[in-house]
Amino acid sequence: MMKRIFALLIFQLVAISIFCAGFFPQKKVLKGDATFLVESDLQSKAKPVFNKLVLVVIDALRSDFVFEESKSHFFHLHSLLEQGNAWGFTAFSNPPTVTLPRLKGITTGSTPNFLDAILNVAEGDSSSNLNEQDSWIKQFVNYNKTIRFFGDDTWLKLFPLEFFDEYEGTNSFFVSDFEQVDHNVTRHVPEQLMNQEDWDVLILHYLGLDHIGHKGGSESQFMPAKHQEMDDIIRQIYEHSDDDTLICVMGDHGMNDNGNHGGSSSGETSAAMVLISKKLQNYEMPTQQKLAQLPIKDTNPSYQYLTSIQQVDLVPTLATLFNFPIPKNSVGVIIRETLQLLDDKLLTVKVQENFQQLQSVKRTHIDADEGFENLDAAFQKMRDVQSELMRSATDYNYDFLYLGLGILLVSTMVGMAAGLKQMRFEKPFFIILTISLIVGLSSFGSSFVEEEHQIWWWIATGGVLLSSLYTPDKKSTHLTILICLRIIRGWNNSGQKHFYENTIFEILKRNPIQQWYLNFFTIFSLGLLQGDLLSFLSTMLISMLCFVYKVTWAIVNRETVPDWMYQVALKSCFIITGSVTDDVFEESLVPLARFFFKCLLGSIVVNLGVAKLTSKKSTLNSICTSLTMLLIFQSPSSNIPLFLAYNTLRKSLTTLLVENYGSGSFITSITSLVLQYFTFFHFGGTNSIATVDLSNAYHGVSQNYNIYLVGFMMCLSNFVPPIYWSIFTWRILYNGNQKWNHFSHNKLTFFMFNCISGCALLLACLILRFHLFIWSVFSPKLCYYAAWNIFMNLVIGWILEIPLLLMN
Ligand SMILES: [Zn+2]
Ligand SMILES: [Zn+2]
């Protein structure tokens, strides 16, 4: 039985992998480098408008950070915008709004490939590089220009190193640091500005602002200082530049209010772009900017400040201003305001060039003289072609799609048959079937996918209602369960459409002292196990370490903590590092976290060993407690008290399941399944890449980190609630000698759910593959589904549980 279910699971994972391989294929790109298409003689002899480019990418620089009065502290840049030496734009950043795909867009002008968003996380991948693809970087290299690069090392993974005459990469994945990462870029700037004759293109990519966002949201108290730091760098570059230098300051994408990005909300897609040059004041500034007074006083909820353009428009604009052919795969349209920098003859040629080049991407031939009557018509046509090209981003591999779906359908049939055999036509079978169908059908509607937390709320409360009808004598238990569910629901924002100010999470964030007393109570009331001396001592140590670490982490992030907790953390950090400097908290984070992990592992091993020797029964309890501490350790601090609600809910459910449902393995598994999804969403998770939490993936990780370890910890911190509710079944199902039977029943339940809902999801992706939201809504959902199956079902469900069952 167990072997068969495992084989089915592997079968299912293979099906998902094949489907994903067909759904996220490599995009077909036009090979080779572009050459001038129109009047190439005239164009090759023309003098470029600028001869030096400084590109300053400030990661996650949202439009309002630069243009809006209450948010922006780019004071010097505001005065440049007012004088007309700088032209500001809101540049639409095509989702997935993650650095790697955006850099591809900014340099090649092409539309993104969703797979890049995943490759952005999976480092060291060579399939995402741009050695072969045409880009403005490559065009500069072809024209023998010298390029220097300092900043986010994603650039160095994208382009061959020989493209750069001098470079230094900073790591983009160490999100907890936002000072050093930028100093490492800035320290190169003075030297480069002194020796400007040595280079033609200088690229700087700053990550600090993005890291601040991930850590503290868009309104973090570190933002103003970071804006000013960046503003000062722009001022230095500007003051050292001459008339023939173009400075472009831009964000690769924006962020939402929580400081995350990846999705398609207006905050994430609205990046700032500013073109700066001393030359610009001789020309007419963009109309919108002429009418506005900078910084702009009125907040714009859709983040559209000044003129809105596409981020990829930078590509043909640079090609035009620096006089080289527009990169082959670009879908950009020249920023129209910049055309006035060209002389009249060249202006028409450059527009024709852009027009022809867009047509060649569209792969339709048009006669050379069938062009356009006037500039307005040309721009209208080009915008039309652009939006058409942006919509049809990829070619799917249909063989893979059908094969993947086919295999999944077959394994679903087999799984259903096995389920019927085990559950017969009894209640659990119909319950799991109903839940799977509801969730499966919901994947056809984009709003249902975005707001999936609502579905789980109705399933969970519906389940409580059913159970209370079935066991009417358990009124108070059901009431407790309902209250817990309601508290959990009110804790975090979930879904992608609404943002509530008054969730418990936000309220606790505004009242840090109360929050920390609650955290203290939570950690010690859940962490301390009574019983024998050994488990008491080991859980005491783990709880203390967990608490001290979380407080230290909060202090490093400049959160407020009660004074006595500050002193406790200070003393503990002193003991750990022996240091009395101001950086003692920061220095202790890594050793503290490592010490915590070692003690945790040690206590589990000791407990298992003692249990083996004395054949005592309570090991599961202490292992579950240790693991709960690990989950708390990997959670954001405002979510820690949520574990009190989890614990109360767990106790009530256990009583109910044991006393009224005879510890039934199927019904226990269904309860666990519903709660895994319900709590995942109400922990702050969504089906968008934007809510992937990176800030808890670096505990105990030093500068030379291991990507696999960080990846594992990232999964761990994002699946904290599902892991908790997966562990919940252990104490009910794995205590007696029926444990292997229960184990396979449990896996069968999850398998049925994943197959049925998965078939529907894959079918939805297939049918809706040309839907407007396919990249922003359905593809991320598919990624979550795949991640859930691999991490929760394979890693946690099998690889973690089997050894535990063997030893217990
Ligand atoms: Zn970025
Ligand atoms: Zn980021």
Side-chain angles (χ1 to χ4, degrees):
M1 178 70 179
M2 231 179 88
K3 278 188 199 133
R4 242 177 295 159
I5 296 176
F6 188 68
L8 278 174
L9 178 72
I10 297 299
F11 222 53
Q12 183 207 9
L13 292 178
V14 169
I16 299 170
S17 317
I18 294 177
F19 187 88
C20 288
F23 196 73
F24 302 119
Q26 289 295 307
K27 218 171 59 181
K28 275 191 200 130
V29 292
L30 300 174
K31 287 259 157 59
D33 299 345
T35 48
F36 288 122
L37 302 167
V38 186
E39 308 228 16
S40 54
D41 263 5
L42 180 108
Q43 289 209 60
S44 346
K45 287 191 194 111
K47 191 177 167 287
V49 177
F50 294 105
N51 59 26
K52 215 173 270 300
L53 171 68
V54 183
L55 177 72
V56 184
V57 178
I58 300 172
D59 212 286
L61 186 70
R62 196 170 69 189
S63 55
D64 59 334
F65 293 167
V66 178
F67 304 125
E68 204 245 303
E69 191 177 35
S70 67
K71 296 275 175 61
S72 176
H73 294 77
F74 284 83
F75 302 125
H76 178 257
L77 193 51
H78 294 158
S79 65
L80 288 183
L81 284 160
E82 274 292 288
Q83 292 156 17
N85 286 318
W87 293 351
F89 303 90
T90 296
F92 179 81
S93 153
N94 217 327
T97 44
V98 198
T99 305
L100 185 134
R102 288 325 310 146
L103 290 184
K104 277 191 173 181
I106 293 163
T107 53
T108 66
S110 63
T111 48
N113 176 343
F114 192 80
L115 199 60
D116 288 336
I118 309 161
L119 295 177
N120 190 52
V121 184
E123 261 193 284
D125 184 281
S126 57
S127 65
S128 58
N129 68 38
L130 294 176
N131 295 7
E132 298 301 322
Q133 228 191 99
D134 197 7
S135 61
W136 56 259
I137 304 274
K138 195 141 188 231
Q139 289 290 347
F140 272 117
V141 172
N142 291 350
Y143 279 73
N144 292 320
K145 303 291 181 196
T146 311
I147 307 177
R148 290 188 174 170
F149 170 80
F150 305 99
D152 183 354
D153 63 3
T154 313
W155 287 78
L156 304 175
K157 279 178 252 152
L158 273 175
F159 297 100
L161 296 179
E162 56 270 23
F163 279 14
F164 304 106
D165 155 76
E166 210 183 304
Y167 60 84
E168 189 188 52
T170 52
N171 206 297
S172 50
F173 275 81
F174 208 76
V175 285
S176 58
D177 162 49
F178 44 75
E179 283 172 3
Q180 198 55 41
V181 74
D182 285 350
H183 286 317
N184 285 342
V185 181
T186 304
R187 66 190 162 89
H188 295 282
V189 173
E191 194 200 324
Q192 300 303 327
L193 292 180
M194 295 290 45
N195 304 300
Q196 291 194 37
E197 60 288 350
D198 295 349
W199 50 267
D200 303 295
V201 180
L202 176 67
I203 301 168
L204 308 170
H205 187 145
Y206 285 98
L207 287 167
L209 189 136
D210 171 72
H211 292 183
I212 291 175
H214 285 296
K215 231 173 181 182
S218 66
E219 309 242 351
S220 161
Q221 50 176 318
F222 297 101
M223 275 300 177
K226 187 51 87 180
H227 286 190
Q228 283 168 21
E229 183 190 333
M230 294 292 113
D231 192 44
D232 194 55
I233 290 153
I234 299 166
R235 183 188 58 76
Q236 279 177 43
I237 298 171
Y238 179 76
E239 281 171 3
H240 285 85
S241 71
D242 60 19
D243 275 12
D244 292 327
T245 303
L246 175 68
I247 305 162
C248 175
V249 177
M250 67 187 300
D252 52 345
H253 45 75
M255 61 169 76
N256 58 23
D257 286 339
N258 295 333
N260 293 323
H261 54 89
S264 51
S265 72
S266 47
E268 293 160 87
T269 55
S270 303
M273 190 193 287
V274 188
L275 301 177
I276 310 166
S277 172
K278 290 185 175 156
K279 201 183 254 182
L280 290 185
Q281 65 174 343
N282 307 326
Y283 298 89
E284 207 173 319
M285 62 167 95
T287 325
Q288 302 277 346
Q289 190 174 329
K290 229 187 300 173
L291 298 174
Q293 165 130 35
L294 278 139
I296 293 165
K297 288 200 172 55
D298 304 324
T299 310
N300 184 326
S302 58
Y303 300 99
Q304 300 304 306
Y305 295 95
L306 303 175
T307 314
S308 298
I309 57 167
Q310 295 286 333
Q311 211 170 36
V312 287
D313 293 346
L314 178 70
V315 176
T317 305
L318 286 180
T320 303
L321 297 176
F322 286 84
N323 197 40
F324 54 75
I326 301 169
K328 268 200 162 163
N329 293 289
S330 163
V331 297
V333 175
I334 306 174
I335 300 173
R336 198 164 168 184
E337 285 80 356
T338 61
L339 285 176
Q340 48 176 318
L341 278 78
L342 303 166
D343 66 55
D344 286 347
K345 176 87 178 90
L346 200 58
L347 187 154
T348 329
V349 174
K350 288 291 182 190
V351 176
Q352 270 169 345
E353 174 83 17
N354 194 184
F355 192 81
Q356 289 286 357
Q357 177 268 335
L358 275 174
Q359 296 293 342
S360 75
V361 180
K362 207 184 150 197
R363 288 188 206 118
T364 51
H365 176 78
I366 60 151
D367 293 330
D369 44 66
E370 200 218 290
F372 46 83
E373 299 94 57
N374 55 46
L375 281 185
D376 286 330
F379 271 89
Q380 190 50 50
K381 274 190 186 168
M382 288 199 285
R383 289 268 169 236
D384 292 346
V385 176
Q386 179 179 54
S387 53
E388 197 179 320
L389 287 169
M390 283 188 151
R391 255 179 284 127
S392 57
T394 39
D395 304 306
Y396 300 102
N397 184 332
Y398 288 98
D399 293 343
F400 281 10
L401 294 185
Y402 292 126
L403 184 67
L405 186 59
I407 299 178
L408 192 65
L409 275 170
V410 172
S411 34
T412 307
M413 310 279 202
V414 181
M416 292 276 285
L420 254 182
K421 203 172 150 197
Q422 296 291 323
M423 300 179 195
R424 301 202 185 79
F425 281 105
E426 280 166 19
K427 287 185 197 82
F429 181 79
F430 293 106
I431 296 174
I432 194 71
L433 199 64
T434 313
I435 295 174
S436 312
L437 285 175
I438 293 175
V439 175
L441 287 176
S442 76
S443 50
F444 285 88
S446 63
S447 298
F448 286 125
V449 175
E450 286 177 305
E451 308 293 300
E452 196 180 328
H453 65 288
Q454 303 282 18
I455 297 172
W456 289 103
W457 164 249
W458 292 114
I459 292 177
T461 46
V464 177
L465 181 73
L466 269 183
S467 166
S468 65
L469 293 174
Y470 185 72
T471 52
D473 55 319
K474 286 278 180 179
K475 279 201 183 64
S476 62
T477 317
H478 283 114
L479 189 67
T480 317
I481 293 173
L482 213 54
I483 292 170
C484 289
L485 291 179
R486 187 62 191 87
I487 291 174
I488 294 168
R489 177 182 158 87
W491 208 279
N492 279 290
N493 274 299
S494 184
Q496 297 165 48
K497 296 198 167 169
H498 309 285
F499 186 86
Y500 301 101
E501 290 281 314
N502 288 322
T503 58
I504 304 178
F505 186 93
E506 298 294 327
I507 293 169
L508 284 179
K509 254 188 157 177
R510 289 196 286 271
N511 300 286
I513 301 292
Q514 284 81 346
Q515 180 212 318
W516 276 101
Y517 276 104
L518 260 175
N519 287 355
F520 176 77
F521 179 71
T522 310
I523 292 177
F524 285 96
S525 69
L526 300 187
L528 287 186
L529 259 194
Q530 267 72 45
D532 59 307
L533 191 67
L534 176 71
S535 42
F536 177 76
L537 286 179
S538 68
T539 50
M540 179 76 179
L541 178 66
I542 291 167
S543 312
M544 264 164 54
L545 283 172
C546 179
F547 177 71
V548 168
Y549 183 81
K550 289 315 249 186
V551 174
T552 312
W553 174 259
I555 294 170
V556 172
N557 287 306
R558 308 202 197 167
E559 288 171 30
T560 316
V561 296
D563 202 39
W564 67 267
M565 293 189 191
Y566 184 93
Q567 296 303 331
V568 168
L570 186 66
K571 291 224 166 65
S572 318
C573 291
F574 173 71
I575 295 168
I576 294 266
T577 58
S579 160
V580 281
T581 59
D582 287 344
D583 298 334
V584 62
F585 291 113
E586 252 155 275
E587 284 168 24
S588 335
L589 277 180
V590 173
L592 248 177
R594 290 187 177 167
F595 190 51
F596 170 82
F597 288 132
K598 280 178 199 154
C599 290
L600 188 83
L601 202 67
S603 100
I604 293 176
V605 170
V606 168
N607 267 304
L608 281 172
V610 170
K612 264 261 154 344
L613 291 175
T614 58
S615 64
K616 104 186 146 108
K617 276 277 168 203
S618 65
T619 15
L620 257 186
N621 230 351
S622 70
I623 290 176
C624 291
T625 308
S626 303
L627 289 179
T628 306
M629 276 303 121
L630 174 65
L631 296 178
I632 290 179
F633 192 83
Q634 292 289 43
S635 302
S637 53
S638 309
N639 268 348
I640 292 176
L642 193 49
F643 282 85
L644 280 178
Y646 285 3
N647 195 50
T648 318
L649 182 59
R650 179 182 66 82
K651 285 190 171 151
S652 307
L653 282 170
T654 308
T655 321
L656 197 67
L657 286 165
V658 172
E659 290 176 9
N660 293 70
Y661 294 92
S663 307
S665 50
F666 289 118
I667 205 75
T668 307
S669 306
I670 293 172
T671 311
S672 158
L673 181 124
V674 172
L675 284 166
Q676 285 189 30
Y677 282 89
F678 174 75
T679 51
F680 171 80
F681 288 107
H682 292 102
F683 205 71
T686 63
N687 283 323
S688 156
I689 303 226
T691 46
V692 173
D693 174 24
L694 277 174
S695 56
N696 283 298
Y698 296 89
H699 297 312
V701 180
S702 59
Q703 287 284 352
N704 332 310
Y705 68 90
N706 175 334
I707 182 69
Y708 298 103
L709 192 69
V710 172
F712 178 77
M713 299 237 286
M714 190 181 84
C715 288
L716 202 64
S717 59
N718 283 287
F719 284 114
V720 159
I723 296 172
Y724 183 92
W725 290 104
S726 170
I727 293 173
F728 147 81
T729 57
W730 294 1
R731 285 184 258 211
I732 304 175
L733 299 181
Y734 299 161
N735 256 328
N737 40 20
Q738 282 274 303
K739 61 184 180 186
W740 290 108
N741 234 342
H742 288 163
F743 176 81
S744 46
H745 287 174
N746 178 270
K747 299 309 157 212
L748 185 65
T749 313
F750 280 82
F751 180 76
M752 280 176 65
F753 169 77
N754 282 310
C755 272
I756 299 171
S757 64
C759 280
L761 175 66
L762 264 49
L763 202 62
C765 287
L766 185 65
I767 293 172
L768 301 172
R769 64 193 179 279
F770 298 121
H771 193 283
L772 191 59
F773 295 152
I774 190 75
W775 301 111
S776 51
V777 175
F778 297 102
S779 304
K781 169 72 191 166
L782 184 62
C783 292
Y784 270 99
Y785 174 72
W788 201 294
N789 274 285
I790 294 169
F791 189 76
M792 283 309 297
N793 295 342
L794 185 68
V795 177
I796 303 292
W798 286 81
I799 300 174
L800 182 76
E801 281 188 28
I802 297 248
L804 187 93
L805 258 77
L806 284 172
M807 280 186 282
N808 186 35

